[in-house]
Amino acid sequence: LYNDGQSGSSAPQFRNSIAWGNTAGGAGTVFYNNAANPLVEHSLVDVADKTGLETNCSSCVTDNGGMLYNQDPLFVNAAAGDLRLQSCSPAINAGDSTLIPADLYDADLDSAFAEKVDIDRLGNDLPYPNTQVDMGAFEFQGIAGGSVLYVDIDAPVGGNGQSWATAYRNLQDALDNSVACPNVSVDEIW
């Protein structure tokens, strides 16, 4: 994120967001700040701490809390542009729902402009399934961590094990998933 406030002031707000595998051009890690004072909160960034966000400045970034530093967001397939979250992503339910902006451009096309944005970039409910929003552009639509994983040999290829419709095709995939998320427990495999 290249923030240049040289011809005035620049105070961008980076909220409920993910910056992973990005650079700020040749001048920085995640942020490059030239006469800019960004506010960051409830976001996941791939630097060790707040100082990693402060390129070309000293104490110019305001960290308002809720940050996840240097934790892999576990995108479904970042190399292919699929930035949805896997079921054990640390970004699930880690955002701050009070920071969801007003629906000024009527993203859900319901002619209500005073409400908060209530859908993500794919049109999925926001937040889902409770009141805590995820970090990033896409709200995870399954059960975080999946306390039950489903296996069906006749399921379509590429399932995530979150339901019978999206079941894994073999038991080994479910077993691998059950240990892939050290912070989440899988109670049953059906």
Side-chain angles (χ1 to χ4, degrees), residues 2-145:
Y2 190 91
N3 302 310
D4 190 350
Q6 194 168 34
S7 60
S9 64
S10 175
Q13 298 177 357
F14 191 75
R15 297 172 157 168
N16 292 335
S17 300
I18 297 174
W20 187 261
N22 299 318
T23 62
T29 52
V30 177
F31 287 7
Y32 174 79
N33 301 299
N34 184 25
N37 297 296
L39 169 98
V40 295
E41 58 188 320
H42 288 87
S43 294
L44 186 152
V45 292
D46 63 346
V47 294
D49 57 32
K50 176 183 164 239
T51 59
L53 300 175
E54 299 181 327
T55 303
N56 198 39
C57 66
S58 177
S59 299
C60 67
V61 175
T62 301
D63 175 349
N64 252 14
M67 296 295 294
L68 296 177
Y69 290 105
N70 214 24
Q71 294 185 41
D72 188 337
L74 300 174
F75 293 129
V76 169
N77 189 348
D82 188 346
L83 303 180
R84 293 175 300 135
L85 302 174
Q86 293 182 39
S87 64
C88 54
S89 170
I92 295 173
N93 297 331
D96 183 343
S97 297
T98 66
L99 301 176
I100 297 172
D103 192 6
L104 299 177
Y105 301 101
D106 196 24
D108 57 1
L109 304 175
D110 66 357
S111 299
F113 297 91
E115 68 185 2
K116 290 185 176 231
V117 173
D118 58 2
I119 58 172
D120 71 3
R121 300 275 303 165
L122 294 175
N124 296 317
D125 289 340
L126 179 71
Y128 176 91
N130 54 36
T131 58
Q132 190 68 26
V133 71
D134 300 341
M135 293 175 178
F138 306 105
E139 190 75 1
F140 180 72
Q141 296 297 299
I143 300 167

